[in-house]
Amino acid sequence: MKKALTLLFAITFYGVVAQNLNVHNYQDGEQALQAMVTSNTKQNKPCVLILPAWKGIDEEAKTAAQDLEKLGYMAFIADIYGVGNTPIDNASAAKIAGQYKKDYLAYQHRIAVALQECIKLGADPNKIAVIGYCFGGTGALETARAGLTVQGVVCIHGGLSRAPEREIAPIKTKVLVEHPAADRSVSKEDYDNLVTELNTAQADWQIITYANCGHTFTNPLSKDYNELMAKRAWSHTTIFLKEVLQ
């Protein structure tokens, strides 16, 4: 009963949130992209670029954007796949997300395009951070690996793996990883390799592990949702953003 009420509340709340965000059309070459952005553009504000999960812009990303606006940030939810390419189910989401994970340079490029769009919309170019959920969490790590100009990245229940043949470059941006302890999609080897990578890259990094949590523990619409740990994770995210964007 409690979970049912939580789900009902989340759906209702998310519907209200979406009304307070604006659609923003932009381009990457000939590929049309459609982001969502908060209403406080053109004000030279600190900005948070949100990279959504594997099905594209979703309710969790929209809620995060609205909450970030209340904290004084401009928020921009990137469109990674492009108009006409939004997955309709888990199978299609796994396929297209897998393509970008394999072709990480294409993923890094699409993130870089979104960052430039944030600046065009009036974000302070010296105060931009990236947060990402699931597939977007992988993107947050790719932002750091690519050396894109941001002050910090937050990987929220993201994939941590990296192809072993990839060289490890210095990571200058600050990194926060919010990892669910019972995430079956992340192996111990992936976790340990990330620690080795971040140390080798001489990064300023932190990993917070959340007990009794499955993969999508921050999403109220997921069976893995853990309300207490989700609140803690968001608190950790906002503390980190305050540090890197102050």
Side-chain angles (χ1 to χ4, degrees), residues 139-148 150 153 169-175:
L141 291 177
E142 290 299 342
T143 302
R145 289 167 175 151
L148 299 178
V150 298
V153 302
I171 291 177
K172 297 181 179 180
T173 190
K174 296 181 179 182
V175 178

Side-chain angles (χ1 to χ4, degrees), residues 4 10 24-25 35 45 70 115 123 140 143 148 150 158 163 171 181 188 196 207-208 212 236 243:
H24 176 73
N25 295 303
K45 284 183 173 291
K70 292 175 183 177
L115 287 169
T143 302
L148 299 178
V150 298
I171 291 177
K188 184 178 185 301
T196 298
I207 298 178
I208 303 175
N212 306 310
H236 295 147
E243 175 190 330

Side-chain angles (χ1 to χ4, degrees), residues 60-127:
E60 184 171 26
K62 294 174 187 176
T63 300
Q66 184 64 28
D67 288 344
L68 289 166
E69 182 177 21
K70 292 175 183 177
L71 294 173
Y73 302 111
M74 172 184 155
F76 183 102
I77 311 174
D79 178 3
I80 298 299
Y81 302 143
V83 174
N85 299 319
T86 302
I88 58 173
D89 53 29
N90 287 349
S92 57
K95 181 178 180 180
I96 192 168
Q99 291 171 353
Y100 276 94
K101 287 181 179 180
K102 184 176 181 179
D103 187 0
Y104 63 89
L105 291 177
Y107 197 4
Q108 292 174 353
H109 171 73
R110 198 52 63 79
I111 295 167
V113 170
L115 287 169
Q116 286 303 310
E117 207 64 23
C118 292
I119 294 171
K120 290 178 184 178
L121 286 173
D124 183 338
N126 298 310
K127 293 185 178 182

Side-chain angles (χ1 to χ4, degrees), residues 2-245:
K2 183 179 179 181
K3 286 189 175 181
L5 289 174
T6 299
L7 178 62
L8 178 61
F9 173 78
I11 293 172
T12 303
F13 179 69
Y14 282 149
V16 173
V17 167
Q19 295 174 10
N20 296 323
L21 299 174
N22 299 318
V23 172
H24 176 73
N25 295 303
Y26 62 117
Q27 295 283 140
D28 179 15
E30 296 189 1
Q31 176 61 63
L33 301 164
Q34 192 170 83
M36 297 199 78
V37 63
T38 49
S39 60
N40 56 347
T41 57
K42 307 297 183 183
Q43 297 180 33
N44 197 42
K45 284 183 173 291
C47 178
V48 181
L49 172 64
I50 301 172
L51 303 178
W54 67 343
K55 286 187 177 178
I57 296 176
D58 59 10
E59 303 306 332
E60 184 171 26
K62 294 174 187 176
T63 300
Q66 184 64 28
D67 288 344
L68 289 166
E69 182 177 21
K70 292 175 183 177
L71 294 173
Y73 302 111
M74 172 184 155
F76 183 102
I77 311 174
D79 178 3
I80 298 299
Y81 302 143
V83 174
N85 299 319
T86 302
I88 58 173
D89 53 29
N90 287 349
S92 57
K95 181 178 180 180
I96 192 168
Q99 291 171 353
Y100 276 94
K101 287 181 179 180
K102 184 176 181 179
D103 187 0
Y104 63 89
L105 291 177
Y107 197 4
Q108 292 174 353
H109 171 73
R110 198 52 63 79
I111 295 167
V113 170
L115 287 169
Q116 286 303 310
E117 207 64 23
C118 292
I119 294 171
K120 290 178 184 178
L121 286 173
D124 183 338
N126 298 310
K127 293 185 178 182
I128 299 177
V130 174
I131 71 172
Y133 297 89
C134 187
F135 168 65
T138 301
L141 291 177
E142 290 299 342
T143 302
R145 289 167 175 151
L148 299 178
T149 305
V150 298
Q151 281 55 60
V153 302
V154 184
C155 168
I156 305 169
H157 54 76
L160 309 183
S161 64
R162 177 186 58 86
E165 65 272 15
R166 290 176 63 178
E167 293 186 6
I168 298 176
I171 291 177
K172 297 181 179 180
T173 190
K174 296 181 179 182
V175 178
L176 171 62
V177 177
E178 298 179 353
H179 177 64
D183 190 342
R184 290 179 291 181
S185 68
V186 175
S187 68
K188 184 178 185 301
E189 182 181 15
D190 289 341
Y191 182 98
D192 292 343
N193 286 343
L194 177 65
V195 171
T196 298
E197 176 189 0
L198 294 173
N199 283 333
T200 302
Q202 298 183 315
D204 176 346
W205 65 272
Q206 181 177 13
I207 298 178
I208 303 175
T209 302
Y210 299 87
N212 306 310
C213 290
H215 177 54
T216 49
F217 77 102
T218 61
N219 189 343
L221 302 182
S222 167
K223 62 181 177 58
D224 291 334
Y225 182 58
N226 184 315
E227 183 177 7
L228 175 61
M229 294 300 178
K231 288 179 178 178
R232 287 182 182 174
W234 185 247
S235 177
H236 295 147
T237 297
T238 58
I239 289 171
F240 180 81
L241 292 175
K242 184 177 181 181
E243 175 190 330
V244 301
L245 297 180

